[in-house]
Amino acid sequence: MAEGQESTDTAAAGAVELAYRPTVADIAAALRARAKHSTGGRFLRRGLIYILVVMAVGILLSTGGADRHDTPWRLYLALGGCVAFMTAVPWLQARQVHRLSERQGDVRAAVDDAGIRLTTAHSSATLDWHLYPRYVETSKLFVLLSADRTAVGVIVLPKRGVADPENVERLRAILGRHLVRADVAETIGGPRTRGRAAGRGAGSIGLLLLGLLLFFFAFAAVQKAAHPDRFPGIQNNTAPISVVLLLLGVLAVVGGWRLVRRMKVMRIVSTVLAVAALLAGGAIVYRVGPMLHCWDSAQIAHDPAGGYVCLDF
């Protein structure tokens, strides 16, 4: 019996021990890390951002159309609700998970080269490293993720749980020996990753070209008002529509650049195209800017002094 106890103490001698009680903030940060590095989380986040952009564009178009004096309060309400939903969901999920973890009480963890041993007031478990092959490090946590694409399994190791701050570096070293950082795992050059990189490159070029096309339409929208010598008289005020197209073009250009910001070659190509597109956008801003004081007017006319007169019949 004494020999068995001695061998156990010897095996645990190199372990990093943690003692903590998970908080709502811990769980919320872990859920955000999982969403960032799981297929389902990325899909949901992009879907919500897409809905948000569509609603914002709808509001801009409604304020720039013929009925712009009618306040689109339903769209404002929907946009506010969408933003509140995107902000609140991680915290609501974290509170639900925290209620369950609270029943377990304080958590004690021992991490060494053999794996992770978790002990609470009501349970204990020993986990091998192959169950959680990826991890994410934040300023306050180490978050271990399971191997499946949706990262159903999550282990949270708060840095505050380590009694000696120097042991945080030991814990990081142990994790580095047995696990792969999630951001590194997503850039390993396998066939699937190379296919994804090619898709990102094609998507980036497509978004940049879309941005240029939107800039062209934004430029064309104010052609008549900008050339009173060729199109004299009162013109429809299309400046708000031009602004909407300009903003969409900027979003497309920024999105195209962000898709390949970590790819060296494509980053150079996309940066050149993005700069060219933004210069074109700057030319449009120079043309549309003098008209923006007439945002709420349905018609616009060029005055002899070189400015614009706002009309609303």
Side-chain angles (χ1 to χ4, degrees):
M1 184 72 178
E3 292 179 358
Q5 182 66 36
E6 183 178 354
S7 62
T8 302
D9 294 340
T10 302
V16 176
E17 296 187 349
L18 300 90
Y20 57 93
R21 174 169 290 199
T23 65
V24 175
D26 292 339
I27 298 171
L31 292 176
R32 285 195 296 270
R34 182 181 71 172
K36 185 177 179 181
H37 297 284
S38 65
T39 304
R42 287 191 293 265
F43 178 81
L44 178 61
R45 186 172 64 252
R46 290 169 184 171
L48 290 174
I49 292 174
Y50 174 78
I51 293 172
L52 188 64
V53 170
V54 169
M55 288 183 176
V57 171
I59 290 174
L60 289 173
L61 289 175
S62 65
T63 58
D67 297 328
R68 65 185 66 146
H69 295 294
D70 298 331
T71 303
W73 62 268
R74 292 184 181 86
L75 282 175
Y76 288 124
L77 183 63
L79 182 63
C82 185
V83 173
F85 176 75
M86 293 174 65
T87 305
V89 162
W91 281 98
L92 293 175
Q93 291 177 330
R95 290 185 66 85
Q96 292 294 325
V97 176
H98 183 256
R99 290 178 184 175
L100 178 61
S101 66
E102 273 287 296
R103 300 176 186 175
Q104 299 292 328
D106 293 336
V107 179
R108 298 186 66 85
V111 183
D112 58 18
D113 291 322
I116 304 173
R117 293 177 295 281
L118 298 173
T119 305
T120 69
H122 305 288
S123 64
S124 62
T126 300
L127 306 172
D128 293 334
W129 290 116
H130 74 276
L131 296 175
Y132 295 87
R134 302 175 293 159
Y135 79 99
V136 179
E137 181 178 358
T138 70
S139 60
K140 297 180 179 180
L141 305 171
F142 290 102
V143 182
L144 279 59
L145 305 174
S146 58
D148 54 287
R149 295 177 62 185
T150 54
V152 173
V154 178
I155 293 179
V156 183
L157 300 175
K159 295 178 182 179
R160 69 174 185 280
V162 181
D164 186 352
E166 294 182 357
N167 283 337
V168 173
E169 188 61 36
R170 288 184 56 214
L171 177 57
R172 184 182 293 111
I174 294 173
L175 296 178
R177 284 197 296 271
H178 299 281
L179 307 180
V180 179
R181 291 181 66 100
D183 52 351
V184 174
E186 292 168 2
T187 59
I188 295 176
R192 182 175 177 181
T193 306
R194 289 194 295 268
R196 186 178 299 173
R200 282 176 174 268
S204 174
I205 298 298
L207 283 174
L208 292 170
L209 293 177
L210 175 62
L212 286 173
L213 183 63
L214 290 169
F215 288 159
F216 171 78
F217 286 130
F219 184 84
V222 291
Q223 274 291 91
K224 289 186 177 182
H227 293 86
D229 52 337
R230 285 185 286 173
F231 306 100
I234 298 173
Q235 305 291 339
N236 290 326
N237 183 15
T238 55
I241 296 175
S242 181
V243 170
V244 172
L245 293 173
L246 181 62
L247 292 176
L248 290 176
V250 171
L251 287 175
V253 170
V254 172
W257 181 83
R258 282 182 59 83
L259 274 178
V260 293
R261 67 188 185 280
R262 296 180 181 176
M263 301 165 59
K264 292 183 179 180
V265 177
M266 285 302 303
R267 182 174 58 196
I268 296 173
V269 175
S270 65
T271 300
V272 172
L273 290 175
V275 169
L278 292 178
L279 287 175
I284 300 169
V285 171
Y286 178 78
R287 171 166 291 190
V288 177
M291 308 178 191
L292 293 182
H293 70 284
C294 295
W295 183 279
D296 290 330
S297 300
Q299 287 83 31
I300 194 171
H302 205 275
D303 63 20
Y308 291 92
V309 178
C310 309
L311 305 172
D312 200 353
F313 296 111

